[in-house]
Amino acid sequence: MKTILRKELDDRPDLLAIFDLIEPSSKVMDLGCGEGILLSHLKLQKNCPVCGIEISQEKILECVARGVPAIHGDLDDGLEGYPDNAFDCVVLSQTLQAVHRPDKLLRDMMRVANRAYVSLINIGHIRARLQIAIGGIMPVTHSLPSQWFETKNIHLSTILDFRNLCSELGFAIDKTVPLGYRSHFLARLWPNLFAPMCVFVVSKGGG
Amino acid sequence: MASVDGGIGIVEERDFLFGDKPGDKLRLDCGKEFGPVNIRYESYGRLNPARTNAVLILHALSGDAHVAGRHSESDRKAGWWDSMVGPGKAFDTDKYFIVCSNVLGGCSGSTGPRSTDPLTDRLYNMDFPVITIRDMVNAQHRLMEQLGIERWLSLAGGSMGGMQALQWAVSYPGSVKSVIAIATTSRLSPQSIAFNWVGREAIMGDPGWMGGEYGEKGPEKGLSIARMLGHITYLSDESMARKFGRNLQNLKDYAFDFSHNFQVESYLRHQGLSFVERFDANSYLFISRAMDYFDLSEDSGGDLAAAFAPATADFLVVSFSSDWLFPPEQSRHIVGALRKRGLDVSYCNINSIYGHDAFLLETGTIGKLVSDFLRNQFAEVEP
């Protein structure tokens, strides 16, 4: 079973990392759950009660096909209808940069759950930095394939930016999993420069 | 059974009569004990030995028990959801035991205002009790017991059918494994109540209505106006523009008169006239009234999440982007309440130009959703 997951998420090491981090039987909500691959494996292998939110009609159909309960909706509408602490954890993968107000969404996530798993596309990665510093153009990379004028990614940030936001909002980062392209060695050594992507485990912190 | 067109073929109507003895009557929301009650139903496919594959389809205002197939070889029209129900279709009759019954108050075989009151030997007409969606559901529950079904794998319906499905989930949680609620609402909006009012005014204002005591020929003008009004609410501005535009009906120029010059006028006229052929005016009054009274959250002070407290089913909620009769917002309200209760719910707002009518037209997308949802539901109960 696990190998099927590895295969399906070949392209998404961040989701694999998140899958490994989530405790069995925890109540999980995935914001921007796509076709529900992560959730279906959490449901089947870790016995997690799951639900997702997804903006694309096609992907909602896929979720239903996989037996993953998912709601067709826009994260920019917020999580207003959800009671406080309704979930053990909330997943937000490669999506924070595409919402209108990442800070508000993060605050909302920490209201409905005790813990958030956030995977962040790091614009501070060396390839992006070189493109802007040397090439003088907005970066186009593997994880950010769109041109500046057509991208949905309107709030790009670096790993450091995200850390600062969490501390400003009073949230604690319990764990950081920097992910490299091929090897994770350099990514772990200097994440903000060498990790194109990073998974954070965020908790409510001291208050 | 299978016919050449790949459909379900020839199907039969059945009747289930109950409530002819004092203790057996149906207790209605209005306080009356009512009976006898006949429920006209059709069923397709086979109930499996474990009795876990039964699905009840619930029809909308003008629907009936005849959901798929034909009644005879010469039958010109198939059932109202034929594209969705049959061998290999979304409601797969090779896998599931599909049941659909005509609602209480209907005019297609079930007891309604044009049935004969055994006490007076006359038609009920306006002496028929004012019924509710819950009364319809309670009658369906009696049918369920008669059929030897303990729990429906799924209850599925669009529009008023969706209201019944939601009511089932609250009234009989133990009998409902899942609910498919399409283009529906948890409470009729004032706008919909208003449309129903005008429809009934047209019927009751027609001299041919005669206080409901009409003979063979009913208030045809009134009923057709009610239907035409209804039809406008089932379409959308965009679908009308695409379907008819400002095109004229068999005319090169305006006729400079008040006959149906425009295609849209001709269409509505046709809808009105053909409805009168198949539907009863008094039934229209009672069923539309039942919809007006539908408010699932009434007993919980408007708190829909509280109203869903007894529910345990898994839900598939579907709305259509251009439906302004039961707009997506009303489905989102249902979804939000179900999520608050921590119930499993999937929701899809299908992008469509067809307005409320989309639930009968977008069968490609709905078909995929229903077929996948049922497959996963069935996998959970299969031994």
Side-chain angles (χ1 to χ4, degrees), chain B residues 228-298:
Chain B
M228 288 190 285
L229 177 69
H231 242 279
I232 297 169
T233 69
Y234 306 154
L235 303 176
S236 73
D237 191 24
E238 191 184 354
S239 67
M240 277 192 177
R242 281 213 204 172
K243 195 166 178 176
F244 313 110
R246 288 183 51 86
N247 296 339
L248 299 175
Q249 182 72 14
N250 304 326
L251 287 175
K252 284 203 177 69
D253 197 0
Y254 300 152
F256 293 97
D257 65 11
F258 295 98
S259 66
H260 48 282
N261 286 199
F262 292 96
Q263 277 183 8
V264 66
E265 295 174 336
S266 170
Y267 170 83
L268 285 176
R269 186 169 166 271
H270 170 76
Q271 291 297 337
L273 289 177
S274 58
F275 190 61
V276 167
E277 304 274 304
R278 68 177 180 90
F279 211 84
D280 171 62
N282 284 347
S283 260
Y284 197 95
L285 302 180
F286 281 92
I287 297 175
S288 68
R289 199 49 163 170
M291 289 171 73
D292 293 345
Y293 285 169
F294 183 65
D295 179 1
L296 214 48
S297 57
E298 194 188 9

Side-chain angles (χ1 to χ4, degrees), chain A residues 1-12 16 37 41:
Chain A
M1 280 299 252
K2 204 150 186 181
T3 51
I4 300 174
L5 174 74
R6 311 265 154 208
K7 214 173 186 177
E8 284 193 306
L9 295 180
D10 194 34
D11 216 25
R12 294 296 302 272
L16 277 178
I37 296 173
H41 286 278

Side-chain angles (χ1 to χ4, degrees), chain B residues 148-341:
Chain B
I149 294 161
E150 281 166 11
R151 193 180 185 216
W152 298 103
L153 175 67
S154 200
L155 287 140
S159 200
M160 188 183 84
M163 297 176 199
Q164 296 162 61
L166 297 176
Q167 184 67 60
W168 262 94
V170 172
S171 291
Y172 300 103
S175 303
V176 184
K177 166 84 178 84
S178 69
V179 164
I180 301 173
I182 306 171
T184 193
T185 184
S186 61
R187 64 203 293 192
L188 213 72
S189 69
Q191 188 188 51
S192 301
I193 293 173
F195 281 119
N196 281 348
W197 170 260
V198 177
R200 283 193 301 269
E201 281 282 282
I203 293 169
M204 297 168 87
D206 184 330
W209 181 60
M210 306 194 321
E213 297 289 329
Y214 49 87
E216 193 85 327
K217 187 171 140 57
E220 293 183 348
K221 193 69 208 172
L223 182 58
S224 78
I225 291 172
R227 181 59 168 177
M228 288 190 285
L229 177 69
H231 242 279
I232 297 169
T233 69
Y234 306 154
L235 303 176
S236 73
D237 191 24
E238 191 184 354
S239 67
M240 277 192 177
R242 281 213 204 172
K243 195 166 178 176
F244 313 110
R246 288 183 51 86
N247 296 339
L248 299 175
Q249 182 72 14
N250 304 326
L251 287 175
K252 284 203 177 69
D253 197 0
Y254 300 152
F256 293 97
D257 65 11
F258 295 98
S259 66
H260 48 282
N261 286 199
F262 292 96
Q263 277 183 8
V264 66
E265 295 174 336
S266 170
Y267 170 83
L268 285 176
R269 186 169 166 271
H270 170 76
Q271 291 297 337
L273 289 177
S274 58
F275 190 61
V276 167
E277 304 274 304
R278 68 177 180 90
F279 211 84
D280 171 62
N282 284 347
S283 260
Y284 197 95
L285 302 180
F286 281 92
I287 297 175
S288 68
R289 199 49 163 170
M291 289 171 73
D292 293 345
Y293 285 169
F294 183 65
D295 179 1
L296 214 48
S297 57
E298 194 188 9
D299 295 339
S300 54
D303 183 347
L304 186 60
F308 277 124
T312 54
D314 296 339
F315 287 78
L316 171 63
V317 179
V318 178
S319 63
F320 301 96
S321 57
S322 55
D323 184 350
W324 56 279
L325 187 60
F326 297 139
E329 214 36 62
Q330 296 181 6
S331 284
R332 287 193 196 106
H333 182 56
I334 295 169
V335 168
L338 295 169
R339 281 296 335 158
K340 251 186 202 164
R341 292 245 67 93

Side-chain angles (χ1 to χ4, degrees), chain A residues 35-73:
Chain A
E35 290 160 356
I37 296 173
L38 174 68
L39 289 182
S40 71
H41 286 278
L42 285 171
K43 183 179 166 180
L44 290 172
Q45 296 175 49
K46 293 202 172 184
N47 203 24
C48 294
V50 299
C51 83
I53 297 181
E54 173 56 46
I55 197 167
S56 147
Q57 177 177 320
E58 293 313 308
K59 288 177 180 169
I60 286 289
L61 297 188
E62 284 308 306
C63 288
V64 172
R66 285 173 184 274
V68 169
I71 290 161
H72 196 183

Side-chain angles (χ1 to χ4, degrees), chain B residues 111-178:
Chain B
T111 299
R114 296 296 273 179
S115 302
T116 303
D117 180 349
L119 286 182
T120 61
D121 220 20
R122 295 175 52 224
L123 303 185
Y124 285 105
N125 288 326
M126 297 315 282
D127 290 332
F128 193 76
V130 173
I131 47 159
T132 64
I133 298 291
R134 184 157 49 195
D135 293 332
M136 296 175 183
V137 165
N138 289 338
Q140 289 155 1
H141 188 256
R142 300 287 285 267
L143 174 65
M144 179 186 103
E145 291 172 332
Q146 165 72 15
L147 294 173
I149 294 161
E150 281 166 11
R151 193 180 185 216
W152 298 103
L153 175 67
S154 200
L155 287 140
S159 200
M160 188 183 84
M163 297 176 199
Q164 296 162 61
L166 297 176
Q167 184 67 60
W168 262 94
V170 172
S171 291
Y172 300 103
S175 303
V176 184
K177 166 84 178 84
S178 69

